[in-house]
Amino acid sequence: MKKAISFVLCIYCLTFQLASAQENNAALVPLPSLDDFTKGEDGWSFGLGFGIEYETAYEGSDEFGLELQPAGAVQWRSGDNIFYFAGEAFGWRGLQGEKWLLEALLGFEEGREEGDSDDGNLDGLGEQDEGFELVLQARRSFTDDWRYWLVSRVVTGGDGNLGLFGIGRRFGDQTDGTGHEINLVAVFHDSEYANRGFGINAEQAQASGLAATTLSGGLRSIGVDYSFRHYINDNWQLYGEALFEYYSSDVQDSPIARSDYETEVGIGLIYIF
């Protein structure tokens, strides 16, 4: 948690030190968590860059590491709709009226491998299959300028369902998608999704030496996430994010959850063509 707070403070300092060339063109929705490279214009847009993330090795891990990640997307805008391809995800987001933002994407889930733990904490648990997940999201703003909103998200695939519900706030008056944003959320999962991440069946228990564990559905965690976006000049964009998720007591009781929380901090650069 201290790392996430320090990261936020550093980003705020960096915001005032950089020479900003803020775009006046309006983004589809002026939220820093949603990349929009179109600069308010219909047609194709393209952003390419990289980010560095400091995060837990897997869900429930007490091991941390740095990882270099590609960043950016290919986007096509038509009025109040953006279709995009970003890494391993295809998606659409659309503005309905002035206060509803709907989004749907199909993404690739890498799964979990025993080798994700350098300390051998996953030995005997086997490999989890890779697959695709469908993500549906809706945000409903309380104001015309998207200062406050409600957010909901559903993630579904071949291994259960996860739901997220929360509230958010945007800081700054920019309409180009830059500034700061924070969300407070509660996350729920069904039993199938819960046991994929934190359950241990009889065969895994025998192979790993860990106690057999079966979880029921319900509250998974409460969390807070922060997003930052800033134009350095007409083409270069700086972004940052921080996430802190505190697990429910049911998840904490799983032998896989060697920590009571999960956290992630990232920063990156994107060049907009």
Side-chain angles (χ1 to χ4, degrees), residues 10 54 81 83 93-94 109 122 140 151 155 181 184 213 216 223 241 243 257 264 267 273:
C10 289
Y54 180 76
N81 298 278
F83 300 87
R93 67 174 65 108
E109 171 59 39
L122 298 176
R140 205 301 186 173
V151 60
V155 180
E181 171 191 327
L184 180 64
T213 302
S216 58
E241 56 187 4
L243 166 71
E264 176 183 323
I267 189 169
F273 293 84

Side-chain angles (χ1 to χ4, degrees), residues 189 191-192 194-195 198-200 213-217 250-251 254:
H189 51 197
S191 59
E192 186 176 1
N195 284 291
F198 298 100
I200 302 173
T213 302
T214 301
L215 281 74
S216 58
D250 286 345
V251 173
S254 168

Side-chain angles (χ1 to χ4, degrees), residues 30-79:
L31 299 182
S33 60
L34 303 175
D35 50 11
D36 184 348
F37 306 139
T38 66
K39 297 183 178 180
E41 299 179 359
D42 285 357
W44 292 99
S45 60
F46 179 52
L48 181 63
F50 68 93
I52 298 176
E53 296 181 353
Y54 180 76
E55 60 184 349
T56 52
Y58 56 90
E59 292 182 343
S61 174
D62 58 357
E63 304 169 54
F64 292 83
L66 288 171
E67 186 173 355
L68 188 66
Q69 295 277 6
V74 178
Q75 300 177 340
W76 185 76
R77 180 167 178 171
S78 176

Side-chain angles (χ1 to χ4, degrees), residues 42 62 83 91 93 97 100 130 132 141 143 169 204 206 247:
D42 285 357
D62 58 357
F83 300 87
R93 67 174 65 108
W100 279 98
E130 301 173 339
F132 289 93
S141 178
T143 60
R169 187 186 194 281
Q204 291 173 322
Q206 184 176 7
Y247 292 129

Side-chain angles (χ1 to χ4, degrees), residues 61-228:
S61 174
D62 58 357
E63 304 169 54
F64 292 83
L66 288 171
E67 186 173 355
L68 188 66
Q69 295 277 6
V74 178
Q75 300 177 340
W76 185 76
R77 180 167 178 171
S78 176
D80 289 334
N81 298 278
I82 290 180
F83 300 87
Y84 60 88
F85 170 67
E88 298 175 332
F90 292 90
W92 159 84
R93 67 174 65 108
L95 190 61
Q96 308 298 311
E98 296 297 326
K99 297 183 178 180
W100 279 98
L101 177 70
L102 305 180
E103 184 168 6
L105 69 90
L106 184 65
F108 184 74
E109 171 59 39
E110 295 182 353
R112 187 185 67 199
E113 300 178 356
E114 291 186 3
D116 289 342
S117 172
D118 292 334
D119 296 339
N121 295 323
L122 298 176
D123 291 352
L125 296 181
E127 313 293 322
Q128 289 184 346
D129 294 336
E130 301 173 339
F132 289 93
E133 290 183 334
L134 177 64
V135 181
L136 304 174
Q137 179 170 265
R139 299 197 197 196
R140 205 301 186 173
S141 178
F142 294 118
T143 60
D144 292 336
D145 60 355
W146 283 84
R147 181 68 60 198
Y148 302 93
W149 60 85
L150 293 174
V151 60
S152 61
R153 183 184 306 150
V154 175
V155 180
T156 184
D159 295 290
N161 304 284
L162 178 142
L164 176 150
F165 305 93
I167 57 174
R169 187 186 194 281
R170 179 173 71 95
F171 302 88
D173 297 322
Q174 301 96 318
T175 61
D176 60 355
T178 62
H180 307 267
E181 171 191 327
I182 192 166
N183 294 273
L184 180 64
V185 299
V187 185
F188 301 85
H189 51 197
D190 62 16
S191 59
E192 186 176 1
Y193 199 101
N195 284 291
R196 171 180 168 80
F198 298 100
I200 302 173
N201 60 34
E203 182 180 352
Q204 291 173 322
Q206 184 176 7
S208 66
L210 300 175
T213 302
T214 301
L215 281 74
S216 58
L219 178 67
R220 170 193 170 94
S221 62
I222 57 173
V224 59
D225 65 77
Y226 164 84
S227 297
F228 160 84

